[in-house]
Amino acid sequence: VMKLSRFLRYSLDNDPMQQVTVAEEVESLKLYLDIEKVRFAERLTLHFSIAPDAERALMPSLLLQPLVENSIKYAVSQSIHGGSIAVSATIESGSLQLVVADDGPGLDLRQGRMPKGSGVGLVNTRERLSQVYGDKQTFRLGATEPHGLTITIRLPLSYADREAA
């Protein structure tokens, strides 16, 4: 109940258009995932890989939560054995790169669109990034090998205490 309360407080206190550091975003994501771990226990495996130079980079608040929620809905909860979700943040070629990958059934990306009724979190996130960054961002869906979905986001690099060159 305490973890749920902390996550809800964070969600309500943070404007989705506000920027937070990657470290703050990951901490809020862990609050959400603590709640899901109660639900799925050992069926949910989590991996975080946050590069030290990415921790202070800025990103939109609560950007990763709907992507991870999608992974739980379509990958972990659909499998008897559960699944795993990996979240990473790195600095690549002067951009912040965020990756959320799962080992679920994935999407048939050949048609270039998602199955009807799925992926609301993906669509909303793509639109939100477009509003905030225009064409200075990328949002890509790819396959996780041997199966699953990988979402890769690239954002312009900036920091709270200084602007990146």
Side-chain angles (χ1 to χ4, degrees):
V1 173
M2 292 296 290
K3 291 175 182 178
L4 178 59
S5 173
R6 286 176 47 211
F7 176 70
L8 288 174
R9 182 170 293 120
Y10 181 86
S11 299
L12 294 171
D13 287 347
N14 283 294
D15 177 352
M17 299 312 272
Q18 170 188 335
Q19 296 227 321
V20 297
T21 65
V22 169
E24 291 168 323
E25 177 73 356
V26 168
E27 283 309 306
S28 75
L29 187 58
K30 286 179 178 178
L31 289 174
Y32 168 73
L33 287 167
D34 282 346
I35 297 163
E36 292 293 2
K37 277 294 261 185
V38 171
R39 179 177 165 202
F40 290 104
E42 300 305 314
R43 291 182 52 223
L44 175 58
T45 305
L46 304 169
H47 306 279
F48 286 91
S49 177
I50 311 302
D53 59 346
E55 289 180 345
R56 294 182 310 106
L58 291 174
M59 62 179 291
S61 176
L62 296 169
L63 182 72
L64 299 178
Q65 189 272 333
L67 303 179
V68 169
E69 185 177 358
N70 248 26
S71 289
I72 288 171
K73 181 176 180 181
Y74 295 106
V76 178
S77 69
Q78 302 293 321
S79 171
I80 292 171
H81 302 294
S84 65
I85 301 170
V87 176
S88 69
T90 56
I91 305 300
E92 303 274 335
S93 304
S95 295
L96 173 61
Q97 180 171 287
L98 304 163
V99 177
V100 176
D102 66 54
D103 61 357
L107 292 174
D108 183 359
L109 299 172
R110 292 174 298 192
Q111 296 177 349
R113 53 189 158 82
M114 292 172 275
K116 193 172 185 127
S118 68
V120 173
L122 299 178
V123 172
N124 289 345
T125 301
R126 180 178 278 158
E127 289 175 4
R128 184 174 167 207
L129 288 171
S130 184
Q131 283 183 334
V132 174
Y133 298 103
D135 63 358
K136 294 179 179 158
Q137 55 79 32
T138 60
F139 181 93
R140 301 215 191 294
L141 303 179
T144 304
E145 294 301 328
H147 53 81
L149 179 66
T150 298
I151 302 161
T152 305
I153 298 170
R154 289 182 75 95
L155 304 176
L157 183 60
S158 64
Y159 294 96
D161 56 350
R162 65 176 171 84
E163 200 64 29

